[in-house]
Amino acid sequence: MTGICDGRVVVVTGAGRGLGRAHALAFAAEGARVVVNDLGVGLDGTADPDSPAARVVEEICSAGGEAVAHGGDVATTEGAASLIRTALEAYGRLDTLVNNAGFLRDRMLVNLSEDEWDAVMRVHLKGHFLPLKHAAAHWRTETKAGRTPTARIVNTSSGAGLLGAVGQGNYSAAKAGIVALTLVAAAELSRYGVQVNAVAPAARTRMTEQTFATTMAAPKSGFDAMAPENVSPLVVWLGSAASTGVTGRVFEAEAGRITVMQGWRRGPSADKGARWGAGEAGETALKLLGESEEPGPVYGS
């Protein structure tokens, strides 16, 4: 380990299992003091009697690191505010926020209920916005006091948010929203010393057990391509001071592959200089489509 996070205080949401746990352990191994947040619920949102956050804290401390648990709901104002307070009260500072918490309510659109839509939007999108808001408010105060931080936010999107996924209209929309939130936050918060990026990971977690069912067996090569630990090195680097100058970017991370996503860019264009008629607008649109790149296929299509 290089210790690239020595002295930093890192908050990771949804860190009791899967990707969040891997991130928390990886940050601690690189010298960070970690606030491990997990509400401790099942995939369907119901209470889990076990305390996954406490178990991860125990793992970190047993390995010689420092960590504290936080069990609040980060999709509420009080839960998000208390998350940031926990870092400040425990360690006196906050350097990095990793927004990772999430769950699924998968349905085809015609079967998707309003409650299932709202629940996923709340946990993913609101659960990113509120911790980001409260962390940013702290860093703004620090900057105004003459203590501009070297702060980092790493958000968690998904390939579903970048390309769409059949049966995941709610999840895809929420994860696409996180990308837009990342871009806006990167632009708004740079004046306070904050860099904001997003990762779109592919890994084996409780949320993806069915998706990666064919790759769940123990690897014969010795490299477990779907291990969540494969994603964490990039997240740790983005959350460290070493990533200076990198902000407003989205990365895919899967197995041993890291990809910079290029997102929406203006492609072929035509300007008449006046209002189009419907027919000629259609003819022009077809011509421009012929000159443009084909979009990637929706997952599951």
Side-chain angles (χ1 to χ4, degrees):
M1 297 299 178
T2 59
I4 64 171
C5 288
D6 279 346
R8 293 182 72 80
V9 173
V10 178
V11 169
V12 185
T13 71
R17 303 180 179 91
L19 282 164
R21 172 183 171 275
H23 299 341
L25 293 172
F27 273 109
E30 292 289 352
R33 292 167 288 176
V34 185
V35 178
V36 179
N37 162 265
D38 201 284
L39 187 57
V41 298
L43 281 176
D44 61 357
T46 57
D48 187 334
D50 205 355
S51 176
R55 291 201 308 271
V56 175
V57 167
E58 185 177 351
E59 284 186 78
I60 290 172
C61 293
S62 295
E66 295 183 58
V68 295
H70 177 269
D73 182 355
V74 297
T76 67
T77 295
E78 177 51 36
S82 71
L83 175 66
I84 304 308
R85 283 200 306 271
T86 296
L88 298 177
E89 291 171 0
Y91 301 120
R93 60 184 294 140
L94 172 65
D95 300 287
T96 298
L97 167 66
V98 178
N99 283 315
N100 170 75
F103 73 171
L104 296 176
R105 296 285 178 85
D106 289 355
R107 296 281 188 277
M108 301 298 278
L109 287 172
V110 294
N111 296 320
L112 183 63
S113 73
E114 186 175 353
D115 286 346
E116 289 166 335
W117 174 273
D118 289 345
V120 168
M121 288 295 167
R122 175 186 179 277
V123 171
H124 287 275
L125 200 46
K126 195 173 181 182
H128 271 62
F129 160 64
L130 287 173
L132 184 156
K133 171 186 169 71
H134 288 280
H138 165 68
W139 288 321
R140 180 181 62 180
T141 299
E142 289 291 285
T143 299
K144 289 183 175 180
R147 300 184 295 270
T148 302
T150 304
R152 305 286 187 262
I153 297 174
V154 184
N155 292 329
T156 306
S157 183
S158 168
L162 303 174
L163 295 173
V166 172
Q168 292 189 317
N170 48 3
Y171 179 74
S172 297
K175 289 303 192 183
I178 287 168
V179 170
L181 177 64
T182 298
L183 302 181
V184 173
E188 290 187 0
L189 302 182
S190 61
R191 71 192 74 178
Y192 306 128
V194 185
Q195 293 183 182
V196 189
N197 295 284
V199 295
R204 182 180 58 253
T205 69
R206 291 192 305 163
M207 285 172 52
T208 59
E209 283 178 345
Q210 298 306 313
T211 303
F212 299 129
T214 58
T215 59
M216 294 289 283
K220 296 179 180 178
S221 66
F223 175 55
D224 185 352
M226 288 293 102
E229 290 78 9
N230 298 332
V231 176
S232 299
L234 175 62
V235 174
V236 170
W237 181 79
L238 288 171
S240 75
S243 63
T244 296
V246 179
T247 193
R249 306 306 295 263
V250 180
F251 299 83
E252 275 193 335
E254 174 185 358
R257 178 173 58 85
I258 295 172
T259 303
V260 176
M261 304 303 290
Q262 296 189 339
W264 290 105
R265 297 178 181 274
R266 290 186 176 89
S269 177
D271 185 354
K272 181 181 177 180
R275 183 178 301 151
W276 298 93
E280 62 178 349
E283 291 176 3
T284 302
L286 289 172
K287 178 177 180 295
L288 295 174
L289 286 169
E291 299 170 0
S292 67
E293 295 182 8
E294 287 289 327
V298 173
Y299 286 101
S301 63

